[in-house]
Amino acid sequence: MNNAHLALARRLSLSAAVLLAAGLTAASAWAQSSWPSRPVRIVVPFPPGGTTDILARAVAPELGKAFGQPFVIENRGGAGGNVGAEIVAKSANDGYTLLMGTVGTHGINRALYDKLPYDPIKDFVPITVVAAVPNVMVMNAEKARSLGINSVQDFISYAKVRPGKLNMASSGSGTSIHMAGELFKSQAGIFMVHVPYRGSSPALLDLISGTMDVMFDNLPSSMQHIRSGKLKAFAVTSSQRSSALPDVPTIEEAGKLKGFEASSWFGLLAPAGTPGDIVNRIQREVARALSDPSIKEKLQAQGAIPGGITPQEFTRLIDSEHVKWAQVVKISGAKAD
């Protein structure tokens, strides 16, 4: 083969390599742009009826409309959200399994549990926060009246002379509902028995029936019961009053507990390694949906503050929440039951 033929062969070989690389890039781009070609599941790590479930069901239909495929809710409760979180952590990173994570699964549990079946940092890629909500201190309204408890100060006074006589329901060990109660116990200097449930909804049923004494529930899941008069709202756990319940004070105000703050957030996450293109597309559609006036007003009426932040902002939030809640767990002495 002469030099001219060698030169031509090299050019053809190079061209083939370039075409192959271009073809692989195009195939990769096509694979991402074709997502989703089948239904996507959103794992809610708590039973139906709680705030995590309410918020997931608020955004799922909007994502379904945007992407032309159903976004199906799958409730997998247990162990303070750890069961559902583990399922997603061990799922394929192809964009077809998402987690509706919480401040519990991705901010508190790492400090509260000796060992988690997943790593909240390494096993997930954050997509966006769907909403942030305050918790609210609630009692069965009739029970509160019968015990002469009309305020946070009344509650603290009652509990101080009856250590261990009151019980505190939560949606599970490590949830923000649990930790808000633990923080309250620590700062108020009282002792109550913690009773964890497999989600907010069953805990609320026992609270409404009078079996449980108090709960620091996420505001959206308690709101209808507060409005109906079944539950008495004493205070919200945020640093400022909620626009949904403007007449209800903060715990810092009502209980004279300086610096008390224990709010919750809920957001979508995917298994680590999920393509960035898919992550960014979901974030953009969630942000768009949450900016819709009808959805925004609906969430705000329940006490939720709509989110929509970028994956990078969500990552920074999770990092900061690990630091914050590790300190709260240490100060309160809380342990997973």
Side-chain angles (χ1 to χ4, degrees), residues 126-131 266-269 282-283 286-287 290 307-311 314:
I127 300 174
T128 190
V129 169
V130 172
F266 305 82
L268 289 172
L269 303 101
I282 296 172
Q283 183 272 326
V286 171
L290 294 175
I309 60 176
T310 66
F314 192 10

Coordinates of all heavy atoms in Angstrom, one line a residue, residues 126-131 266-269 282-283 286-287 290 307-311 314:
P126 N -30.5 14.8 44.8 CA -31.7 15.7 45.1 C -32.2 16.3 43.8 O -31.5 16.7 42.9 CB -31.1 16.8 46.0 CG -29.9 16.2 46.6 CD -29.3 15.3 45.5
I127 N -33.5 16.4 43.7 CA -34.2 17.1 42.5 C -34.7 18.4 42.9 O -34.2 19.5 42.4 CB -35.3 16.2 42.0 CG1 -34.7 14.8 41.5 CG2 -36.0 16.9 40.8 CD1 -35.8 13.8 41.1
T128 N -35.7 18.5 43.8 CA -36.2 19.8 44.2 C -37.1 19.6 45.5 O -37.6 18.5 45.7 CB -37.0 20.5 43.1 OG1 -37.3 21.8 43.5 CG2 -38.3 19.8 42.9
V129 N -37.2 20.7 46.2 CA -38.1 20.7 47.4 C -39.5 21.0 46.8 O -39.7 21.9 46.0 CB -37.7 21.8 48.4 CG1 -38.9 22.1 49.4 CG2 -36.5 21.5 49.1
V130 N -40.5 20.2 47.2 CA -41.9 20.5 46.8 C -42.5 21.5 47.7 O -43.2 22.4 47.2 CB -42.7 19.1 46.8 CG1 -44.2 19.4 46.5 CG2 -42.1 18.2 45.7
A131 N -42.3 21.4 49.0 CA -42.9 22.3 49.9 C -42.2 22.3 51.3 O -41.7 21.2 51.7 CB -44.4 22.1 50.1
F266 N -40.3 18.7 52.3 CA -40.6 17.5 51.6 C -40.1 17.7 50.1 O -40.4 18.8 49.5 CB -42.1 17.2 51.6 CG -42.7 17.2 52.9 CD1 -43.0 18.3 53.6 CD2 -42.9 15.9 53.6 CE1 -43.6 18.3 54.9 CE2 -43.4 15.9 54.9 CZ -43.7 17.1 55.5
G267 N -39.4 16.8 49.6 CA -38.8 17.0 48.3 C -38.6 15.7 47.5 O -38.5 14.6 48.1
L268 N -38.5 15.8 46.2 CA -38.2 14.7 45.3 C -36.7 14.4 45.2 O -35.9 15.3 45.0 CB -38.8 14.9 43.9 CG -40.3 14.9 43.8 CD1 -40.8 15.4 42.5 CD2 -40.9 13.5 44.1
L269 N -36.4 13.1 45.3 CA -35.0 12.7 45.1 C -35.0 11.4 44.2 O -36.0 10.8 44.1 CB -34.3 12.3 46.4 CG -34.3 13.5 47.4 CD1 -35.4 13.2 48.5 CD2 -32.9 13.5 48.1
I282 N -37.3 17.2 35.5 CA -38.3 17.1 36.6 C -38.3 18.3 37.4 O -39.4 18.8 37.8 CB -38.0 15.8 37.5 CG1 -38.1 14.5 36.6 CG2 -38.9 15.8 38.6 CD1 -37.6 13.3 37.4
Q283 N -37.2 18.8 37.8 CA -37.1 20.1 38.6 C -37.8 21.2 37.9 O -38.6 21.9 38.6 CB -35.7 20.4 38.9 CG -35.5 21.6 39.8 CD -35.5 23.0 39.1 OE1 -35.0 23.1 38.0 NE2 -36.0 24.0 39.7
V286 N -41.6 20.6 38.1 CA -42.2 20.8 39.4 C -42.3 22.3 39.8 O -43.3 22.8 40.3 CB -41.3 20.1 40.5 CG1 -41.8 20.5 41.9 CG2 -41.4 18.6 40.3
A287 N -41.2 23.0 39.4 CA -41.2 24.5 39.7 C -42.3 25.2 38.9 O -43.0 26.1 39.4 CB -39.8 25.1 39.3
L290 N -45.7 24.4 40.6 CA -45.8 25.1 41.9 C -46.0 26.6 41.7 O -46.5 27.2 42.6 CB -44.6 24.8 42.8 CG -44.5 23.3 43.2 CD1 -43.2 23.2 44.0 CD2 -45.7 22.9 44.0
G307 N -42.2 25.0 47.0 CA -40.8 25.0 46.7 C -40.5 25.2 45.2 O -41.1 26.1 44.6
G308 N -39.6 24.4 44.7 CA -39.2 24.5 43.3 C -37.7 24.8 43.1 O -37.3 25.1 42.0
I309 N -36.9 24.8 44.2 CA -35.5 25.2 44.1 C -34.7 24.2 43.2 O -35.2 23.1 42.9 CB -34.8 25.2 45.5 CG1 -34.9 23.9 46.2 CG2 -35.5 26.3 46.3 CD1 -34.2 23.9 47.6
T310 N -33.5 24.6 42.8 CA -32.7 23.8 41.9 C -32.1 22.6 42.7 O -32.0 22.6 43.9 CB -31.5 24.6 41.3 OG1 -30.6 25.0 42.4 CG2 -32.1 25.9 40.6
P311 N -31.6 21.6 41.9 CA -31.0 20.5 42.6 C -29.8 20.9 43.4 O -29.5 20.3 44.5 CB -30.5 19.6 41.4 CG -31.5 19.9 40.3 CD -31.8 21.3 40.5
F314 N -31.0 22.4 46.6 CA -31.6 21.3 47.5 C -30.4 20.5 48.1 O -30.5 20.2 49.3 CB -32.5 20.4 46.6 CG -33.3 19.4 47.4 CD1 -33.4 19.5 48.8 CD2 -34.0 18.4 46.8 CE1 -34.2 18.6 49.5 CE2 -34.8 17.5 47.5 CZ -34.9 17.6 48.8

